């Protein structure tokens, strides 16, 4: 019963910079965040990817950051992605990258964002590393899809994410499926109003399966991004009914979440890619992970009191 207000509360905190400054000083929040984050440096991330690859999983690397309102900072983030892509190639890792366009200056305008993105997509092309464009709040959906369209029209290997909770996603998926654009489907991690987004779990789940099925039928190599066992089973059923080969899609899970499911998917012969975030800007990412699962919050609160008692 408390889940919905807690979710709203943590999503509210996710874009409050003063809370971020406070949280960054809290040792325990930091330690807990690093359950979901591979580390602060590229070396940390490479080590995590090596371990995943050794176990048979692929990875997608996210250099944490978002909502950058300054061109120089956006260009700095783009350089971090170029370095990450070069390192993936140099190390021969089975990995690609995922990025958020607000980190690449989307709020400065679509044209500015395309300029900032240029070295990233060129590095991706040079090294054969696919660039996944994460989906953010609905205020950015149109502009994100426009950037993806324009980058693809210029011949770059990029693909978007659609969120099952948005009513519009069924319309958005059709042209992507028709062009066989590699698209990730997720439930959606932001606070969106009932006018534009399903709120009930059953509605979101129905939309999730419909979107995945549409992309599977179009042989568009979808990425099925969820930890929900019901969704995993539903997509496996669609795949079995249509005898779709396992190399025509992949499951994707987040680093540090449901490792049991990750291992089971690999043992059953499915393709698995793990989303591996790294960097110092972990606060909003961490808040969204707390919002998704109240049990994470309870754990954090218990640990915080434990920490106080231990200090006092
Ligand atoms: C690879 C990947 C990429 C994503 N990219 C985007 C994106 O670009 N844009 C976007 O809006 N969202 C993105 N998301 C997040 C997504 O939208 C959901 O918020 C998130 O995956 C939780 O939904 P779920 O499908 O796992 O199902 P839920 O019904 O939320 O969870 C099902 C079960 O998964 C486990 N679980 C889920 N979340 C957590 C957690 N935080 N901690 C511990 N256990 C958990 C629990 O066991 C839970 O019962 C991505 C998710 C994944 C896996």
């Amino acid at each position: 019963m408390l889940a919905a207000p807690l979710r709203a509360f943590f999503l509210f905190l996710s874009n409050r910079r003063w809370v971020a400054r406070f949280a960054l000083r809290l040792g325990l929040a930091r330690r807990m965040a690093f359950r979901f984050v591979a580390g602060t440096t590229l070396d940390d991330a490479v080590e995590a990817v090596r371990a995943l690859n050794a176990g048979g999983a692929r990875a997608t690397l996210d250099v944490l950051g978002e909502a950058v309102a300054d061109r120089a900072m956006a260009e700095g983030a783009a350089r971090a992605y170029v370095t990450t892509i070069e390192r993936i190639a140099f190390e021969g890792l089975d990995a690609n990258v995922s990025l958020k366009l607000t980190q690449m200056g989307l709020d400065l305008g679509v044209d500015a964002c395309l300029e900032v993105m240029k070295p990233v997509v060129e590095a991706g092309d040079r090294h054969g590393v696919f660039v996944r464009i994460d989906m953010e709040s609905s205020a950015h959906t149109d502009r994100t899809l426009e950037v993806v369209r324009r980058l693809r029209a210029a011949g770059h290997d990029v693909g978007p994410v659609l969120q099952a909770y948005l009513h519009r996603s069924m319309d958005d998926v059709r042209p992507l499926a028709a062009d066989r654009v590699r698209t990730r489907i997720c439930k959606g991690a932001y606070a969106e109003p009932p006018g534009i987004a399903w709120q009930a779990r059953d509605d979101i789940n129905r939309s999730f399966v419909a979107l995945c099925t549409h992309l599977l039928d179009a042989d568009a190599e979808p990425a099925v991004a969820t930890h929900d066992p019901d969704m995993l089973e539903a997509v496996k059923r669609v795949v079995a009914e249509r005898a779709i080969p396992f190399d025509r899609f992949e499951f994707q899970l987040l680093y540090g979440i449901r490792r049991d499911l990750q291992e089971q998917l690999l043992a059953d012969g499915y393709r698995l890619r793990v989303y591996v975030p790294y960097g110092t800007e972990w606060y909003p990412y961490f808040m969204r992970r707390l919002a998704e699962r109240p049990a994470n919050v309870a754990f954090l609160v218990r640990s915080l009191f434990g920490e106080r008692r231990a200090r006092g």
Side-chain angles (χ1 to χ4, degrees):
M1 233 187 342
L2 267 176
L6 268 179
R7 177 170 189 271
F9 177 63
F10 279 96
L11 290 178
F12 168 80
L13 291 185
S14 71
N15 39 40
R16 293 297 174 285
R17 287 184 191 276
W18 65 269
V19 189
R21 280 195 294 275
F22 174 71
L24 291 173
R25 273 190 249 121
L26 267 184
L28 207 119
R30 194 187 158 84
R31 277 203 298 285
M32 169 110 187
F34 281 81
R35 230 184 92 187
F36 304 112
V37 172
T40 52
T41 68
L42 180 54
D43 284 341
D44 295 333
V46 167
E47 201 177 306
V49 175
R50 277 204 205 105
L52 286 164
N53 286 173
R58 301 149 172 223
T60 184
L61 277 173
D62 168 25
V63 186
L64 288 164
E66 52 200 87
V68 169
D70 171 277
R71 173 78 182 233
M73 279 173 72
E75 287 171 352
R79 277 195 297 280
Y81 267 100
V82 171
T83 309
T84 302
I85 290 170
E86 287 170 346
R87 186 76 182 274
I88 288 171
F90 178 76
E91 302 269 351
L93 300 174
D94 193 347
N96 60 33
V97 293
S98 291
L99 58 78
K100 292 186 174 40
L101 290 184
T102 63
Q103 189 185 10
M104 301 287 137
L106 186 61
D107 291 331
L108 304 170
V110 165
D111 289 331
C113 180
L114 283 163
E115 284 165 23
V116 171
M117 281 290 289
K118 196 164 182 275
V120 179
V121 288
E122 285 176 352
D125 294 344
R126 221 170 26 251
H127 295 290
V129 173
F130 175 75
V131 177
R132 171 75 64 197
I133 314 285
D134 286 347
M135 190 56 83
E136 300 175 70
S137 75
S138 58
H140 298 102
T141 311
D142 278 326
R143 283 175 288 164
T144 300
L145 292 175
E146 182 185 344
V147 170
V148 170
R149 257 191 313 274
R150 286 173 63 179
L151 289 173
R152 290 189 58 81
H156 301 296
D157 191 15
V158 303
V161 177
L162 293 182
Q163 296 151 324
Y165 62 18
L166 289 188
H167 299 165
R168 61 176 285 169
S169 289
M170 205 22 119
D171 291 330
D172 290 329
V173 84
R174 289 196 186 96
L176 295 166
D179 290 344
R180 298 182 59 215
V181 178
R182 276 192 279 166
T183 302
R184 175 197 295 151
I185 302 299
C186 66
K187 290 192 185 183
Y190 298 81
E192 302 292 359
I196 61 164
W198 310 113
Q199 311 289 318
R201 189 181 174 82
D202 284 353
D203 291 329
I204 298 170
N205 286 359
R206 231 187 327 275
S207 167
F208 187 97
V209 178
L211 291 166
C212 292
T213 305
H214 201 79
L215 290 164
L216 285 164
D217 282 342
D219 193 20
E221 291 186 56
V224 178
T226 182
H227 316 91
D228 184 343
D230 291 345
M231 293 300 92
L232 295 172
E233 287 311 312
V235 171
K236 285 182 199 169
R237 269 198 302 277
V238 173
V239 165
E241 281 159 15
R242 289 158 163 77
I244 294 170
F246 283 10
D247 64 355
R248 306 312 300 156
F249 67 100
E250 65 185 22
F251 288 113
Q252 296 191 347
L253 277 75
L254 298 176
Y255 180 83
I257 298 182
R258 294 303 306 258
R259 289 191 202 128
D260 56 331
L261 287 179
Q262 297 180 14
E263 278 161 28
Q264 192 57 53
L265 288 167
L266 287 169
D268 291 344
Y270 292 102
R271 279 188 170 178
L272 169 70
R273 190 178 298 275
V274 177
Y275 187 106
V276 180
Y278 81 92
T280 51
E281 301 292 316
W282 48 263
Y283 171 77
Y285 181 88
F286 174 49
M287 285 293 130
R288 287 196 293 277
R289 302 294 79 80
L290 289 185
E292 278 156 7
R293 194 158 181 260
N296 289 340
V297 181
F299 175 81
L300 177 65
V301 171
R302 268 200 313 275
S303 311
L304 277 174
F305 281 113
E307 190 179 64
R308 292 255 161 74
R309 268 202 301 275
R311 274 205 217 118

